[in-house]
Amino acid sequence: MLIVDNLAAGYGHVQALKGVSLKVDDQAVVTLIGSNGAGKSTLLKTISGLLKPKAGSIVFEGREIKGLDPDKIIARGIAHCPEGRKVFSELTVKENLEMGAYLEKSKAKVEARIENIYASFPILKERQSQMAGTLSGGEQQQLAIARSLMLDPKMILFDEPSLGLAPIIVDLVEDIIIKMKKRGITILLVEQNANMALRVSDYAYVIETGRIILHGPSSELKKDERVMKAYLGQLEVCRV
Ligand code: ATP
């Protein structure tokens, strides 16, 4: 569904991606794991059009999307759920959800999507009239995810959905990803929480300083000594 080939991108003289290639099959969950500053967010920003690449190609459903403006990429069916629980704090939960469906002209369809969201995220229904800025961190993350779903995307780019959340909310995020996969949404998940990412994904890539250094089925990468040492072991220590 998505083929990224030899992608190079950066900020001024900072070369954040140095020829990244990866692919995401239709309805698969693919994860990209890596430490701080490895280039994970840059890759997602480049795919969603927020950052213009310097070289390489990005093909989605057989068509080149590299260099298109973000609204055109959204219209093709790719939603980007950015890092940091970005919600409109001065709007209510329901207004945030309505904003998420801004491409949909039919009010009835928007309402139906909101009802669907409420069925999967009951806390958002309870809080629908509350200002988003007053929600807890975990609730804001759920709202950010739900808002991306309001676009009814074919594919979601998830940037660190578990960052800074309590373990119980991380479990909830994991459940949400599993449910989205069951609904047929293709997912590219960027995570530092390698334990969760490898559990929930079919295939994984490891990125270090702008280069893919390892990739394979998640079930195999979980057992890879380099991954265990650099990403999984570290996390166990953090959890203790
Ligand atoms: P994290 O997990 O900490 O978010 P990441 O893997 O997502 O890390 P990126 O945010 O993609 O990493 O950053 C990759 C590199 O690009 C880093 O060296 C970072 O300092 C640099 N970088 C990111 N954003 C900018 C920017 N706006 N201007 C200049 N350099 C940037």
Side-chain angles (χ1 to χ4, degrees), residues 44-84:
L44 296 194
K45 283 186 212 157
T46 312
I47 297 171
S48 65
L50 294 171
L51 193 66
K52 303 288 175 212
K54 296 196 169 100
S57 79
I58 308 168
V59 173
F60 182 65
E61 295 187 311
R63 291 157 78 193
E64 181 65 63
I65 58 165
K66 182 188 82 166
L68 291 183
D69 287 336
D71 57 325
K72 298 268 180 331
I73 292 176
I74 288 172
R76 295 275 178 98
I78 302 182
H80 183 179
C81 189
E83 189 179 337

Coordinates of all heavy atoms in Angstrom, one line a residue, residues 44-84:
L44 N 7.5 10.4 9.4 CA 6.0 10.5 9.3 C 5.7 11.9 8.7 O 4.8 12.0 7.9 CB 5.4 10.4 10.7 CG 5.5 9.0 11.3 CD1 4.5 8.8 12.5 CD2 5.3 7.8 10.4
K45 N 6.4 12.9 9.1 CA 6.1 14.3 8.6 C 6.3 14.3 7.1 O 5.7 15.0 6.4 CB 7.0 15.3 9.3 CG 6.6 15.7 10.7 CD 7.4 16.8 11.2 CE 7.6 16.7 12.7 NZ 8.9 17.4 13.2
T46 N 7.3 13.6 6.7 CA 7.6 13.6 5.2 C 6.6 12.9 4.4 O 6.1 13.3 3.4 CB 9.0 13.0 4.9 OG1 10.0 13.6 5.9 CG2 9.5 13.3 3.5
I47 N 6.1 11.8 5.0 CA 5.0 11.0 4.3 C 3.8 11.8 4.2 O 3.1 11.9 3.2 CB 4.7 9.6 5.0 CG1 6.0 8.7 4.9 CG2 3.5 9.0 4.4 CD1 5.9 7.5 5.8
S48 N 3.4 12.6 5.3 CA 2.2 13.3 5.4 C 2.3 14.7 4.7 O 1.3 15.4 4.7 CB 1.6 13.4 6.8 OG 2.5 14.2 7.5
G49 N 3.4 15.0 4.1 CA 3.6 16.2 3.4 C 3.9 17.5 4.2 O 4.0 18.5 3.6
L50 N 4.1 17.3 5.5 CA 4.5 18.5 6.3 C 5.9 18.9 6.0 O 6.3 20.1 6.2 CB 4.3 18.1 7.8 CG 2.9 17.9 8.2 CD1 2.9 17.3 9.7 CD2 2.0 19.1 8.1
L51 N 6.7 18.0 5.6 CA 8.1 18.3 5.3 C 8.4 17.8 3.9 O 8.0 16.7 3.5 CB 9.0 17.5 6.3 CG 10.4 17.8 6.4 CD1 10.6 19.3 7.0 CD2 11.1 16.9 7.4
K52 N 9.0 18.6 3.1 CA 9.3 18.3 1.7 C 10.7 17.5 1.6 O 11.7 18.0 2.2 CB 9.5 19.5 0.8 CG 8.2 20.4 0.8 CD 7.1 19.7 0.0 CE 5.8 20.6 0.2 NZ 4.6 19.8 0.2
P53 N 10.7 16.3 1.0 CA 11.9 15.5 1.0 C 12.9 16.1 0.0 O 12.5 16.8 -0.9 CB 11.4 14.1 0.5 CG 10.1 14.4 -0.2 CD 9.5 15.6 0.4
K54 N 14.2 15.7 0.2 CA 15.2 16.2 -0.7 C 15.4 15.2 -1.8 O 15.9 15.5 -2.9 CB 16.5 16.3 0.1 CG 16.4 17.4 1.2 CD 17.8 17.8 1.7 CE 17.7 19.0 2.6 NZ 17.7 18.7 4.0
A55 N 15.2 13.9 -1.5 CA 15.3 12.9 -2.6 C 14.5 11.6 -2.2 O 14.0 11.5 -1.0 CB 16.8 12.5 -2.7
G56 N 14.3 10.7 -3.1 CA 13.6 9.5 -2.9 C 12.1 9.6 -3.4 O 11.7 10.6 -4.0
S57 N 11.4 8.5 -3.1 CA 10.0 8.5 -3.5 C 9.1 7.9 -2.4 O 9.5 7.1 -1.6 CB 9.8 7.8 -4.8 OG 9.8 6.4 -4.6
I58 N 7.8 8.4 -2.5 CA 6.8 7.8 -1.6 C 5.6 7.5 -2.5 O 4.9 8.4 -3.0 CB 6.4 8.9 -0.5 CG1 7.6 9.5 0.2 CG2 5.4 8.3 0.5 CD1 7.3 10.7 1.0
V59 N 5.3 6.2 -2.6 CA 4.2 5.8 -3.4 C 3.1 5.2 -2.6 O 3.4 4.3 -1.8 CB 4.7 4.7 -4.5 CG1 3.6 4.2 -5.3 CG2 5.7 5.4 -5.4
F60 N 1.9 5.7 -2.7 CA 0.8 5.3 -2.0 C -0.3 4.8 -2.9 O -0.7 5.5 -3.9 CB 0.2 6.4 -1.1 CG -1.0 6.0 -0.2 CD1 -0.8 5.1 0.8 CD2 -2.2 6.5 -0.5 CE1 -1.9 4.7 1.6 CE2 -3.3 6.2 0.3 CZ -3.1 5.2 1.4
E61 N -0.7 3.5 -2.8 CA -1.6 2.9 -3.7 C -1.2 3.1 -5.1 O -2.1 3.4 -6.0 CB -3.1 3.4 -3.4 CG -3.6 3.0 -2.1 CD -5.0 3.4 -1.9 OE1 -5.4 4.5 -2.2 OE2 -5.8 2.5 -1.4
G62 N 0.0 2.9 -5.4 CA 0.5 3.0 -6.8 C 0.8 4.3 -7.4 O 1.2 4.5 -8.5
R63 N 0.5 5.4 -6.6 CA 0.8 6.8 -7.1 C 1.8 7.5 -6.2 O 1.7 7.4 -5.0 CB -0.6 7.5 -7.1 CG -1.5 7.0 -8.2 CD -3.0 7.3 -7.8 NE -3.3 8.7 -8.2 CZ -4.4 9.3 -7.7 NH1 -5.2 8.7 -6.9 NH2 -4.6 10.5 -8.1
E64 N 2.6 8.3 -6.9 CA 3.6 9.1 -6.2 C 2.9 10.2 -5.4 O 2.1 10.9 -5.9 CB 4.6 9.7 -7.2 CG 5.7 10.5 -6.7 CD 6.7 9.7 -5.8 OE1 7.4 8.8 -6.4 OE2 6.8 10.0 -4.7
I65 N 3.3 10.3 -4.1 CA 2.7 11.4 -3.3 C 3.7 12.3 -2.8 O 3.4 13.3 -2.1 CB 1.8 10.9 -2.1 CG1 2.6 10.0 -1.2 CG2 0.5 10.2 -2.6 CD1 2.0 9.7 0.1
K66 N 5.0 12.0 -3.1 CA 6.1 12.8 -2.6 C 5.9 14.3 -3.0 O 5.7 14.5 -4.2 CB 7.4 12.3 -3.1 CG 8.6 13.0 -2.6 CD 9.9 12.6 -3.3 CE 10.0 13.3 -4.7 NZ 11.4 13.2 -5.2
G67 N 6.0 15.2 -2.1 CA 6.0 16.6 -2.4 C 4.6 17.2 -2.5 O 4.4 18.4 -2.7
L68 N 3.5 16.3 -2.4 CA 2.1 16.9 -2.4 C 1.9 17.6 -1.1 O 2.5 17.4 -0.1 CB 1.1 15.8 -2.5 CG 1.0 15.0 -3.8 CD1 -0.2 14.0 -3.7 CD2 0.8 15.9 -5.0
D69 N 1.0 18.6 -1.2 CA 0.6 19.3 0.1 C -0.1 18.4 1.0 O -0.8 17.5 0.6 CB -0.2 20.6 -0.3 CG 0.6 21.6 -0.9 OD1 1.8 21.6 -0.7 OD2 0.0 22.5 -1.7
P70 N -0.1 18.7 2.3 CA -0.7 17.8 3.3 C -2.2 17.6 3.1 O -2.7 16.4 3.2 CB -0.5 18.5 4.6 CG 0.7 19.4 4.4 CD 0.7 19.8 3.0
D71 N -2.9 18.6 2.6 CA -4.4 18.4 2.4 C -4.6 17.4 1.3 O -5.6 16.6 1.3 CB -5.1 19.7 2.2 CG -4.6 20.5 1.0 OD1 -3.3 20.4 0.8 OD2 -5.3 21.2 0.3
K72 N -3.8 17.4 0.3 CA -3.9 16.4 -0.8 C -3.6 15.0 -0.3 O -4.3 14.1 -0.7 CB -2.9 16.8 -2.0 CG -3.1 18.1 -2.6 CD -4.0 18.0 -3.8 CE -4.3 19.3 -4.5 NZ -4.3 20.5 -3.9
I73 N -2.7 14.9 0.6 CA -2.3 13.6 1.1 C -3.4 13.1 2.0 O -3.8 11.9 1.9 CB -0.9 13.7 1.7 CG1 0.1 13.9 0.6 CG2 -0.6 12.4 2.5 CD1 1.5 14.1 1.1
I74 N -4.0 13.9 2.8 CA -5.1 13.5 3.6 C -6.3 13.1 2.7 O -6.9 12.0 3.0 CB -5.6 14.7 4.5 CG1 -4.6 15.0 5.6 CG2 -7.0 14.5 5.1 CD1 -4.8 16.3 6.4
A75 N -6.5 13.8 1.7 CA -7.6 13.5 0.8 C -7.4 12.1 0.1 O -8.3 11.4 -0.3 CB -7.8 14.5 -0.3
R76 N -6.1 11.7 0.0 CA -5.8 10.3 -0.6 C -6.2 9.2 0.4 O -6.1 8.1 0.1 CB -4.4 10.2 -1.0 CG -3.9 11.1 -2.1 CD -4.2 10.5 -3.4 NE -3.8 11.4 -4.5 CZ -2.6 11.3 -5.1 NH1 -1.8 10.4 -4.9 NH2 -2.4 12.2 -6.1
G77 N -6.3 9.6 1.7 CA -6.7 8.6 2.7 C -5.6 8.4 3.8 O -5.7 7.4 4.5
I78 N -4.6 9.3 3.9 CA -3.6 9.1 4.9 C -3.8 10.1 6.1 O -3.8 11.3 5.8 CB -2.2 9.3 4.4 CG1 -1.9 8.3 3.2 CG2 -1.1 9.1 5.4 CD1 -0.5 8.3 2.6
A79 N -4.0 9.6 7.3 CA -4.2 10.5 8.4 C -2.9 10.5 9.2 O -2.3 9.4 9.3 CB -5.4 10.1 9.3
H80 N -2.5 11.6 9.8 CA -1.3 11.7 10.7 C -1.7 12.0 12.1 O -2.3 13.1 12.3 CB -0.4 12.7 10.0 CG 0.9 12.9 10.7 ND1 1.9 13.8 10.3 CD2 1.5 12.2 11.8 CE1 2.9 13.7 11.1 NE2 2.7 12.8 12.0
C81 N -1.5 11.2 13.0 CA -1.8 11.5 14.4 C -0.4 11.8 15.1 O 0.4 11.0 15.4 CB -2.4 10.2 15.1 SG -3.1 10.6 16.7
P82 N -0.2 13.1 15.2 CA 1.2 13.6 15.6 C 1.5 13.3 17.1 O 0.6 13.0 17.9 CB 1.2 15.1 15.4 CG -0.3 15.5 15.4 CD -1.1 14.3 15.1
E83 N 2.8 13.4 17.4 CA 3.2 13.2 18.8 C 2.7 14.4 19.6 O 2.5 15.5 19.2 CB 4.8 13.3 18.7 CG 5.5 12.9 20.0 CD 7.0 13.0 19.8 OE1 7.5 12.9 18.7 OE2 7.6 13.1 20.9
G84 N 2.4 14.1 20.9 CA 2.1 15.1 21.8 C 0.7 15.5 22.0 O 0.4 16.6 22.4

